[in-house]
Amino acid sequence: MSTATAEATPMVEARGVCKSFAGVEVLKGVDLVVKRGEVTCLIGPSGSGKSTLLRCINHLEKHDAGELRVDGHLVGYEYRDGKLYERNDKQICAERAKIGMVFQRFNLFQHLTVLDNVTIGQVKVRRVGGDQAAVRAKELLARVGLAGKEGAYPSQLSGGQQQRVAIARALAMEPKLMLFDEPTSALDPELVGEVLDVMKDLARSGMTMVVVTHEMGFAREVADTVYFLDHGVIEESGDPREVLTAPRSERLKGFLSKVL
């Protein structure tokens, strides 16, 4: 693939993506495009399919139908002799290593120090030397405002600090795409801003991001595109300055009246 072609290829492209759990349709033919270097926010009520779509992007959930690509490549599957096959675990893990994921509940290793939490993926997955991994980890911890916390354990940190460690850990893998699943929903209100500030800095640096969020101010300020999901379908999408200030659908109007 030429450089020009690569740059024109969307970082994320979903076409007709469907997903059901126990016979209940959670995603009903979702179409979505995320361009390189852009921030896309997924908004909508709880149970609308936002987090499921995010988890399908890195194959933590297997979509049932449709096509999902990251960086031009099918997620979790490949065509061989005209038939679609699921890739093996090793291939899927290699794909997933290029996609950073930040969860609601931090998912840090409680028995490891902050420094070890950020270095472990580099050493175990990327095969980076321990000293080199530690240098990179300290740089990233400084970037997220946690210089000097390298020897602390997660239990000694606030929720906001733990989430910033989780972001540093994801960045240490040098991802081409970052996924955030409601990264501030588990935080006390006074800690939300410090995490959003780190995410804004990432956006300014050109990181491609897909963010599930209820923070409408963040979506309005940072997102290039907003998708409003409801009952597994995209009701409305577009420039956040238009979607969030002059919604067309009655369902989005009702949603915004409750969250703004």
Side-chain angles (χ1 to χ4, degrees), residues 2 21 23 31-32 43 57 69 73 82 107 120 124 138 142 169 175 200 225 232 234 251-252:
S2 68
F21 293 102
D31 295 336
L32 170 145
I43 65 172
I57 291 174
R69 294 178 181 270
H73 302 286
N107 287 10
I120 188 169
K124 297 290 188 181
K138 290 176 182 178
R169 179 180 61 182
K200 290 174 185 177
T225 307
I234 293 173
R251 186 68 188 90
L252 179 52

Side-chain angles (χ1 to χ4, degrees), residues 54 98-102 166-168 170-171 175-180 202 207-211:
L54 199 74
K98 302 172 186 175
I99 303 173
M101 181 92 176
V102 177
I167 294 172
L171 291 175
K176 56 189 175 184
L177 169 67
M178 285 285 287
L179 308 177
F180 294 85
L202 276 182
M207 174 64 72
T208 308
M209 299 161 58
V210 183
V211 184

Side-chain angles (χ1 to χ4, degrees), residues 8-46:
T9 302
M11 181 58 74
V12 181
E13 186 172 17
R15 297 297 181 199
V17 171
C18 299
K19 176 66 182 176
S20 296
F21 293 102
V24 177
E25 282 188 293
V26 178
L27 298 176
K28 305 172 184 177
V30 170
D31 295 336
L32 170 145
V33 174
V34 180
K35 296 179 181 178
R36 295 171 187 275
E38 288 194 345
V39 178
T40 295
C41 284
L42 307 180
I43 65 172
S46 296

Side-chain angles (χ1 to χ4, degrees), residues 107-114 116-117 120 151-155 169:
N107 287 10
L108 298 177
F109 295 109
Q110 296 297 313
H111 65 292
L112 297 181
T113 65
V114 165
D116 288 340
N117 264 282
I120 188 169
Y153 287 87
S155 62
R169 179 180 61 182

Side-chain angles (χ1 to χ4, degrees), residues 149-195:
K149 295 291 186 180
E150 293 85 357
Y153 287 87
S155 62
Q156 299 172 310
L157 304 179
S158 70
Q161 290 173 324
Q162 290 187 63
Q163 193 62 293
R164 284 185 279 154
V165 173
I167 294 172
R169 179 180 61 182
L171 291 175
M173 300 299 287
E174 297 187 1
K176 56 189 175 184
L177 169 67
M178 285 285 287
L179 308 177
F180 294 85
D181 189 5
E182 298 190 34
T184 60
S185 65
L187 302 179
D188 292 333
E190 65 268 23
L191 302 177
V192 169
E194 63 189 50
V195 174

